[in-house]
Amino acid sequence: MFPLSNLVRAKGDPKILRSGPSSLTMADKLTRGLGWFSIGLGLTELLAPRKITRALGMRGMEPLVRAYGAREIAAGVMTLSTEKHLGLASRVAGDGLDIATLAVGLVRPGNRRRDNVALAIAMVVGVTVLDIAAARATKVAHGRNGAGDRRKFADRTGFPQGVEAARRIGTTARTAGSA
C-alpha cells in the first residue's frame, strides 16, 4: 500500500520506505473480514433475491430476502465501525434468523432443492461459529467484559509529573512574583 501513498505525497514530504507491524489483532482482522462479507452478502440479497430463492426452492420469499440483505449491510457497517461488538451481536442474531428461515425451506413439502437448503444451513452455521468466535475474541482483545471490568483512573491526575510537582511549581511562581 505504501508505494501508492508515495505517489500522492508532496515533494517535501519524506517517502515511506517500509511499513511497520500492524496493530490489528487476529480478532480485528477476522471482524473486518466478517464486516465486508456481511456487506457483500447483503448487496447480493438486495440485488438478486430471485436467484437466491430459486436456488433454494423458496420462491415468493424475495421481499424477505431483500429485508435480510438490508439487515446484513447494516450489520456489516456496524461491524466495521468502532462498535464492533454491536455489529457482531447483530450478525449472530441475524444468523439465527437465517437458519430459521432456511429451515422452512428444508421442511417445505415438494421442495426439490432441499440439498441446496441443507448446504446453505451448513454454511450459515459455519459463519455463525466464526461470528461467535470473533465476538468473544473482540471482547477479550478490547477489554469489553462488562461493568465489572471497567478501567479505574482514580489514581491519575492529568498532571504529567503529578499533583505535588504542580503544587511546587505554583508555589515557586507565587514566591517569585512577590519578591
Side-chain angles (χ1 to χ4, degrees):
M1 180 65 133
F2 60 85
L4 184 60
S5 299
N6 284 334
L7 291 175
V8 297
R9 296 176 82 76
K11 288 192 180 208
D13 289 346
K15 299 292 181 202
I16 301 171
L17 300 177
R18 60 185 150 84
S19 62
S22 174
S23 63
L24 296 177
T25 64
M26 286 304 291
D28 293 328
K29 291 176 184 177
L30 175 60
T31 300
R32 186 191 307 165
L34 288 170
W36 284 112
F37 172 76
S38 191
I39 290 171
L41 177 60
L43 286 172
T44 303
E45 289 174 332
L46 275 176
L47 300 174
R50 194 171 300 132
K51 287 186 178 189
I52 293 170
T53 57
R54 190 178 325 131
L56 297 172
M58 298 173 73
R59 288 189 179 153
M61 299 185 88
E62 289 84 3
L64 185 62
V65 171
R66 278 193 185 98
Y68 284 6
R71 182 205 71 219
E72 283 288 345
I73 291 170
V77 169
M78 260 196 307
T79 302
L80 293 172
S81 76
T82 57
E83 301 298 328
K84 293 174 182 46
H85 60 288
L86 293 177
L88 290 167
S90 174
R91 284 188 47 78
V92 171
D95 292 341
L97 280 173
D98 292 343
I99 291 169
T101 303
L102 288 167
V104 169
L106 198 58
V107 298
R108 182 182 257 180
N111 186 356
R112 290 182 265 149
R113 306 284 181 146
R114 285 191 180 132
D115 291 345
N116 290 351
V117 175
L119 180 61
I121 289 173
M123 291 168 55
V124 172
V125 167
V127 171
T128 304
V129 170
L130 289 175
D131 288 338
I132 292 169
R136 287 184 177 170
T138 299
K139 189 174 185 181
V140 168
H142 296 289
R144 296 183 177 180
N145 294 328
D149 191 36
R150 304 259 175 185
R151 294 181 182 155
K152 307 226 184 320
F153 297 105
D155 62 335
R156 297 193 183 178
T157 64
F159 295 102
Q161 297 171 347
V163 174
E164 292 305 317
R167 287 185 182 144
R168 282 192 301 273
I169 291 170
T171 307
T172 307
R174 271 186 261 148
T175 56
S178 61

